[in-house]
Amino acid sequence: MWSGKRLDINLASVEDLEGLFGIGRARAEAIVEVRKQCGSFNSVSDLRQVPGFGPGLLEQHLGQLSCDATASTSNGRNSNSSCKSDTRETRSSARLHSTCSSLCEQEHANLSYAEFSGNHVHGSGGDTKLMHSSLKEENSASLAINNRQTQNESSVLTVSCISQSDCIPLPNTHSHSTRSSTTKSANNTPKGIQPQLNFELHESDEEFDDLVGGDSDNNGELNLMDLENEEVGESGESESPFRLRSRLPECVNSDKYMMKRKFEGRVVSAGKKRRSFDIEDSMDLRRRPSSGAIVLSRKPIPSRENPPPDLQGWIETFQKWGNAERLLALDELMESCDPTQVRHVMAIIQPQFQRDFISLLPKELALYVLSFLEPKDLLRAAQTCQAWHILAEDNLLWREKCREENIDENTVFDTKIRRKSPSGFQHSPWKSLYMRQHHIEINWRTGSKKPPKVLKGHDDHVITCLEFCGHRIVSGSDDNTLKVWSAITGKCLRTLVGHTGGVWSSQMQSNVIISGSTDRTLKVWNADTGQCTHTLYGHTSTVRCMHLHENRVVSGSRDATLRMWDIDSGNCLHVLMGHVAAVRCVQYDGHRVISGAYDYMVKVWNPEQEVCLHTLQGHTNRVYSLQFDGTHIVSGSLDTSIRVWDAESGNCLHTLIGHQSLTSGMELKDNILVSGNADSTVKVWDITTGQCLQTLQGTNKHQSAVTCLQFNKKFVITSSDDGTVKIWDLKTGDFVRNLVTLESGGSGGVVWRVRTSNSKLVCAVGSRNGTEETKLLVLEFDIDQNCDNKHGTIKQLLTS
C-alpha cells in the first residue's frame, strides 16, 4: 500500500511496486525486468515501454512515482544505453535541468515558419546555426540546434507558429527519424485560419518529462523567451531550468494553449479540432505579457481536492434529471469511456454488490451452510471477520467434524474444558480436540520431538504377546511372566507371576488381563493389584490363541478344541469340538465364534448350542490368521492366499491372490483389509470387490518378513524381522518414514510386535542371537497436549 512518499522506480523492488493500486504482481515484475535490461529509467514516462503499463495507469500513478536520474551515468545518457535505445536506432535526448551552461549565437533572419520536431528546427527563408553546450555537471543540460533542413524527419514534438515575419527557434537533439514532416510558410497558410501555436507529443517520445523538468523544483515549467543574435549566459537559473528568447507574433494573443500527449500517428491539422481518445498528460502554454515569454507547465492531475472547474456544474445538472435521463446519460458516458476508465468504474461498482450473506442469515442457517466446509476452510472463514469467527467456533459444528474423522467424542470431556480467552470469548472444546488430533497426525508424519521411552524387562527372552489399553502396557514372554507398564512414565508397575510355562497369548480389557500358556491353563489377573483372580483349567495342550468379548473369553488350543469361559466366575461355559488339528486363531463377536486351524479349515460356531454352523473349505495349507466384522470372515493361510467368506451362508466371496508366502497378520476395518506377509510386502484390499488397492513396497519396503501391523484411516504401521517399524499412507500407499530403526537390524535385531493408540506406538524388540536387548519402545506423538503451539498447528492445517 502506498505510504504517501514518492516511489523511485529505479530503486523500487517488486514488492514496493506491487503495493501500488492497480499495478499487481505481473506488472511489477515486468517493470523490474525492463529496468534490468535497460540499466535504469531516465524518467517516469519510460514506464510506457513496460508491457501492460498503459497511459491510463501511468496517469493514475504520476503523483506516486519519481525517477532519480542520478543513477544513470553521463556516459549512459549520451550513448543511448537506456530503455530508449530499444525503440530507436539512435537518440540523444535533451536534458533540461537547472541551468543551461552556454548558448551560441543563432541567425534566424526572415524566418516565417519554424518547426521543432524533437530533433531539428526547420525554417524557410533563412538558416539556423549549430548551438552546443557541453554537459558539465548533473544539473547542466545539453542543447543542440541543427542547421539542416530535412524533409523526412518524424514530428515528435511540434511547435508551429504561422506568421509572415516571426519565428520561434527551439532546441532539438540529434536522432534519426522515420516519418517526413513538411515545413510551412506563411504564404501557404489558408485564409481565415488564425495564427496558432500547436503542440503534439507522440506516445513514442519519452523525453517529455525531461523537456518540462518534471523531477525538478520548477514544477515542470519550460520558458521560451527572446533570443536575438546574442549569447545567453547562465543567468536565470533560479527562474527556470531552460529559457529561449524569441520574437513572438503580435497576432498570437491567446493566453492559453493546450499541449497533449497522444498515441503516435496522430496528425495535427491546422485550424481543425482534433479528438484524442487517450490523453495522458496536459500542458498549458502561457504567454507572459511583460516579457513575451511562453511558459509551458504541467496541469495538475484532477482529484477530489482539485476537481476540474466544470465538474460541480455537471453533477448538479445530473442530479436534476429524472431516472430516464440519468440512465441515458450513463449510457452515453460509458460509450465514450476507454477500457481503462471502464475498469475504474467497475472497481467502484463491484463492491456495492458484494454482501456478507452469512452474517445476514439466521444462525441456524448460517451454521448449516458452514457445515459443508472442510475443517481447513472453516479456519480460513474464521479469519474473515468477527461475525464469521463466532460462527466458526460453534461447538456443535466442530463436534460433527470430529465425528466425521472418527475422533473419540468421549476424549474431549476427559481432557479438555471450555476455555475462555482474556476477552471472555469461549473457544470450542471440540475444535481444540480436532486441532490436537491434527497436530498428532503431523507428528506421526514428520517425527516426534521426544526420544522414545525404553522399557527394559524379560531379560533376553522373547516377548510373545503385547497388549496396550489406556495408559497400561502388558507384555507376555516365554519367561513365564507378564509385566504391566505405565505408558506415561515407562515404569514397570508390577510383574504377574504364576504360570509354569511360557505365555503365548493374552487379552486385555479395562483392568482385566487374560493370559494363556504352554502350561495348558488360562489365568485371569487384576491389573490394578497384580493378583490372579482365576486359573482356568480344561485344555490339554498349549493355549495358543484367545479372544475376549465383554466378560467372556474363547480360547483355542493345540488340543484342537475351543472353550468359552466366564471370567467373572472362572467357569468353563462351552466346549467346541470339530477341528482335527491345532487351533491357531479365533474370533468372537458375542454371538458367533470363528476358528482357524492347522487342518486347513475355518469353522463358524454357535457357542451357546455348541454347534458348528459352517465349515469353510478352500485353503490348501494351515490357516494362521483370521478377521471377522460380523458379516465377512477373512482367513489367511500358508498357501499364500487370502479368502473372503460370507458369515451367513458360508460361501467364499473372493480369493485374494498376490502374496508369495504366509500371511502372518491381518486387520479389517470398514471393508478395508490390510495384510502382512512373510514375503516382506503389505497389501491393502477392498473385500467387497476383492480388488488390491495398494501394495506397500518399493525401494523403502521391508527387507524381511512382516511380523505385525496396525492401521487407521490415515496410516498403516508395519514391523518386520529386519528391525524396522515403518509408516505408510493408507490412501496412496506411499512410504512416509521409518518410525523405528534398530542398529542391529539385518544382523539379528527383530521387532516382534507393535501396538498403537491414537498418539502412541509401542514396539516389542529383541533378538534370538543376543545382538539386541529385549525391551519395549514407547513413542509419543501427542507432544502439544496443552495447545502451546496452537497457531503453528492452525497454519499447518491451512497449508495441508
Side-chain angles (χ1 to χ4, degrees):
M1 185 64 70
W2 184 59
S3 62
K5 183 178 179 181
R6 288 199 176 204
L7 198 61
D8 191 344
I9 60 175
N10 277 332
L11 300 176
S13 65
V14 173
E15 289 72 17
D16 296 334
L17 294 167
E18 184 183 3
L20 296 177
F21 179 80
I23 288 185
R25 183 79 181 183
R27 288 194 184 96
E29 291 176 348
I31 291 173
V32 174
E33 183 63 24
V34 172
R35 185 177 70 197
K36 288 181 180 178
Q37 295 175 359
C38 302
S40 67
F41 295 108
N42 290 320
S43 67
V44 176
S45 62
D46 286 347
L47 291 177
R48 285 170 295 171
Q49 297 198 21
V50 177
F53 206 100
L57 199 59
L58 182 61
E59 178 182 5
Q60 181 181 351
H61 295 290
L62 275 178
Q64 304 175 12
L65 300 175
S66 66
C67 179
D68 186 2
T70 59
S72 303
T73 63
S74 60
N75 182 48
R77 293 181 181 180
N78 297 330
S79 61
N80 307 325
S81 62
S82 68
C83 301
K84 302 173 186 179
S85 63
D86 296 336
T87 58
R88 296 168 178 81
E89 295 179 2
T90 58
R91 184 169 182 178
S92 176
S93 57
R95 303 298 177 201
L96 305 182
H97 297 287
S98 61
T99 62
C100 185
S101 60
S102 65
L103 295 173
C104 297
E105 293 183 350
Q106 174 180 331
E107 295 181 4
H108 52 81
N110 300 322
L111 283 175
S112 61
Y113 177 83
E115 179 178 87
F116 172 47
S117 66
N119 300 312
H120 297 278
V121 175
H122 310 294
S124 61
D127 296 321
T128 59
K129 259 181 142 180
L130 175 68
M131 297 194 311
H132 176 73
S133 63
S134 59
L135 184 63
K136 295 182 179 180
E137 57 186 72
E138 180 181 345
N139 290 329
S140 64
S142 62
L143 173 67
I145 299 180
N146 199 316
N147 62 352
R148 293 180 301 161
Q149 296 185 10
T150 308
Q151 299 300 320
N152 61 351
E153 299 292 333
S154 67
S155 178
V156 180
L157 177 63
T158 302
V159 180
S160 333
C161 179
I162 303 176
S163 179
Q164 291 186 348
S165 60
D166 299 316
C167 69
I168 303 175
L170 293 171
N172 68 85
T173 59
H174 309 295
S175 70
H176 297 287
S177 331
T178 58
R179 186 166 57 88
S180 64
S181 81
T182 306
T183 60
K184 302 177 182 180
S185 65
N187 296 331
N188 296 327
T189 304
K191 292 183 179 181
I193 298 178
Q194 295 296 326
Q196 56 183 311
L197 193 59
N198 297 326
F199 287 79
E200 181 175 2
L201 180 61
H202 288 191
E203 184 66 21
S204 62
D205 194 334
E206 298 169 6
E207 297 180 0
F208 174 79
D209 289 319
D210 297 321
L211 183 62
V212 300
D215 294 332
S216 62
D217 297 331
N218 63 338
N219 297 322
E221 293 186 353
L222 172 65
N223 295 343
L224 306 179
M225 308 183 73
D226 292 341
L227 176 63
E228 294 188 306
N229 299 327
E230 59 183 2
E231 289 190 1
V232 180
E234 297 182 356
S235 61
E237 177 178 352
S238 61
E239 298 178 12
S240 171
F242 178 65
R243 300 173 186 272
L244 283 178
R245 301 178 183 276
S246 174
R247 289 180 292 109
L248 294 176
E250 295 299 328
C251 58
V252 181
N253 54 13
S254 176
D255 290 335
K256 188 173 183 179
Y257 300 90
M258 184 62 66
M259 173 176 168
K260 298 180 180 180
R261 183 190 302 258
K262 298 187 292 294
F263 284 99
E264 188 167 1
R266 294 287 171 167
V267 178
V268 180
S269 302
K272 292 185 179 181
K273 185 177 181 180
R274 302 173 310 283
R275 180 189 176 197
S276 170
F277 60 84
D278 196 349
I279 297 176
E280 186 65 21
D281 293 86
S282 297
M283 306 293 297
D284 282 348
L285 185 62
R286 303 177 185 275
R287 178 180 176 184
R288 295 181 183 176
S290 59
S291 62
I294 294 178
V295 181
L296 194 63
S297 62
R298 187 191 301 271
K299 288 184 63 178
I301 298 176
S303 64
R304 290 184 180 273
E305 294 75 18
N306 186 28
D310 300 332
L311 179 61
Q312 186 61 36
W314 184 89
I315 294 176
E316 291 176 356
T317 302
F318 183 80
Q319 291 174 342
K320 292 177 182 178
W321 288 339
N323 183 62
E325 289 84 356
R326 290 186 182 186
L327 293 178
L328 178 61
L330 290 174
D331 290 341
E332 294 295 329
L333 181 63
M334 295 306 297
E335 288 181 2
S336 63
C337 291
D338 61 29
T340 302
Q341 295 157 355
V342 172
R343 284 193 294 269
H344 176 73
V345 173
M346 183 174 66
I348 296 175
I349 293 176
Q350 270 188 335
Q352 304 299 321
F353 293 94
Q354 296 173 351
R355 291 289 181 269
D356 180 6
F357 72 95
I358 290 293
S359 299
L360 298 176
L361 289 174
K363 181 179 179 181
E364 293 76 10
L365 289 178
L367 290 175
Y368 179 74
V369 173
L370 293 179
S371 68
F372 291 95
L373 296 180
E374 294 293 327
K376 63 180 180 180
D377 296 325
L378 271 178
L379 293 176
R380 290 191 179 100
Q383 299 175 9
T384 303
C385 61
Q386 184 177 7
W388 285 35
H389 180 68
I390 294 173
L391 288 171
E393 284 283 342
D394 184 77
N395 199 42
L396 297 180
L397 182 64
W398 282 100
R399 185 184 68 178
E400 292 305 314
K401 297 303 175 184
C402 288
R403 287 178 175 176
E404 289 173 7
E405 296 293 328
N406 289 332
I407 298 175
D408 185 6
E409 61 187 83
N410 295 320
T411 306
V412 66
F413 301 110
D414 294 338
T415 60
K416 300 287 180 183
I417 60 173
R418 184 177 287 269
R419 298 179 294 111
K420 285 189 177 181
S421 66
S423 62
F425 180 78
Q426 289 186 333
H427 295 275
S428 165
W430 285 101
K431 177 183 175 181
S432 299
L433 179 66
Y434 188 95
M435 299 307 300
R436 174 186 174 188
Q437 178 60 37
H438 179 75
H439 186 73
I440 292 171
E441 180 183 332
I442 294 297
N443 287 338
W444 277 100
R445 287 185 179 275
T446 61
S448 172
K449 297 178 182 178
K450 288 184 178 180
K453 294 183 178 68
V454 180
L455 287 57
K456 295 183 179 180
H458 300 294
D459 298 329
D460 292 329
H461 291 269
V462 176
I463 296 178
T464 56
C465 51
L466 182 65
E467 302 298 327
F468 180 26
C469 180
H471 300 304
R472 290 193 184 97
I473 302 169
V474 177
S475 59
S477 171
D478 61 359
D479 65 357
N480 304 345
T481 66
L482 295 98
K483 290 184 178 290
V484 182
W485 311 81
S486 170
I488 298 175
T489 64
K491 294 182 179 180
C492 180
L493 302 178
R494 53 196 57 86
T495 300
L496 309 182
V497 179
H499 282 294
T500 57
V503 178
W504 281 91
S505 59
S506 64
Q507 289 277 279
M508 183 180 181
Q509 178 179 284
S510 186
N511 67 334
V512 177
I513 301 171
I514 314 294
S515 60
S517 170
T518 58
D519 63 7
R520 300 171 290 179
T521 65
L522 288 84
K523 288 186 177 291
V524 181
W525 309 84
N526 185 313
D528 295 329
T529 63
Q531 293 181 347
C532 178
T533 57
H534 301 288
T535 300
L536 311 181
Y537 296 97
H539 285 295
T540 59
S541 186
T542 300
V543 179
R544 194 62 184 83
C545 57
M546 65 177 66
H547 195 278
L548 176 64
H549 181 81
E550 296 179 354
N551 66 334
R552 296 187 178 187
V553 63
V554 177
S555 59
S557 170
R558 287 179 177 169
D559 63 10
T561 65
L562 296 104
R563 290 177 178 265
M564 178 175 287
W565 312 83
D566 186 321
I567 61 174
D568 293 332
S569 63
N571 296 328
C572 179
L573 302 178
H574 306 285
V575 178
L576 308 178
M577 303 176 64
H579 284 292
V580 294
V583 177
R584 182 63 176 79
C585 46
V586 63
Q587 292 281 297
Y588 175 50
D589 68 349
H591 301 286
R592 284 168 291 189
V593 174
I594 315 296
S595 60
Y598 286 174
D599 60 5
Y600 313 167
M601 302 296 181
V602 177
K603 290 184 177 289
V604 182
W605 307 86
N606 183 330
E608 302 296 331
Q609 299 177 0
E610 300 183 1
V611 174
C612 178
L613 301 177
H614 302 289
T615 297
L616 311 180
Q617 301 183 23
H619 285 296
T620 58
N621 213 324
R622 295 177 175 180
V623 177
Y624 274 84
S625 55
L626 278 177
Q627 289 292 300
F628 178 44
D629 63 2
T631 303
H632 301 97
I633 300 169
V634 182
S635 57
S637 170
L638 188 59
D639 64 7
T640 74
S641 70
I642 299 172
R643 291 180 177 265
V644 181
W645 313 83
D646 183 275
E648 290 294 332
S649 64
N651 295 329
C652 181
L653 302 177
H654 304 287
T655 301
L656 311 181
I657 304 296
H659 285 301
Q660 305 299 318
S661 186
L662 167 68
T663 299
S664 53
M666 297 188 300
E667 269 207 350
L668 175 64
K669 295 177 183 177
D670 299 326
N671 293 328
I672 298 297
L673 174 74
V674 180
S675 60
N677 197 270
D679 63 4
S680 76
T681 66
V682 178
K683 290 183 178 291
V684 182
W685 312 83
D686 183 342
I687 63 170
T688 60
T689 63
Q691 180 183 3
C692 178
L693 303 177
Q694 305 289 346
T695 299
L696 312 184
Q697 55 182 4
T699 56
N700 294 297
K701 78 180 187 72
H702 287 293
Q703 302 302 312
S704 187
V706 176
T707 56
C708 193
L709 62 87
Q710 301 260 274
F711 84 97
N712 57 26
K713 277 196 169 184
K714 302 283 186 178
F715 307 117
V716 179
I717 313 296
T718 60
S719 64
S720 170
D721 279 342
D722 62 8
T724 64
V725 178
K726 297 179 182 290
I727 182 170
W728 310 77
D729 189 285
L730 176 66
K731 292 183 179 179
T732 65
D734 294 334
F735 170 78
V736 177
R737 68 186 182 99
N738 283 329
L739 297 174
V740 174
T741 303
L742 299 179
E743 293 182 1
S744 60
S747 60
V750 177
V751 181
W752 288 309
R753 296 284 185 272
V754 292
R755 290 291 182 268
T756 63
S757 68
N758 179 52
S759 60
K760 288 183 175 63
L761 169 68
V762 182
C763 312
V765 305
S767 67
R768 294 183 177 88
N769 58 6
T771 57
E772 185 71 37
E773 185 178 10
T774 299
K775 57 193 173 187
L776 299 177
L777 300 178
V778 181
L779 281 72
E780 174 63 62
F781 300 99
D782 189 9
I783 299 173
D784 191 24
Q785 294 187 16
N786 296 322
C787 298
D788 296 330
N789 194 25
K790 177 184 176 183
H791 295 293
T793 304
I794 293 177
K795 183 177 180 181
Q796 288 174 328
L797 180 58
L798 290 176
T799 56
S800 63

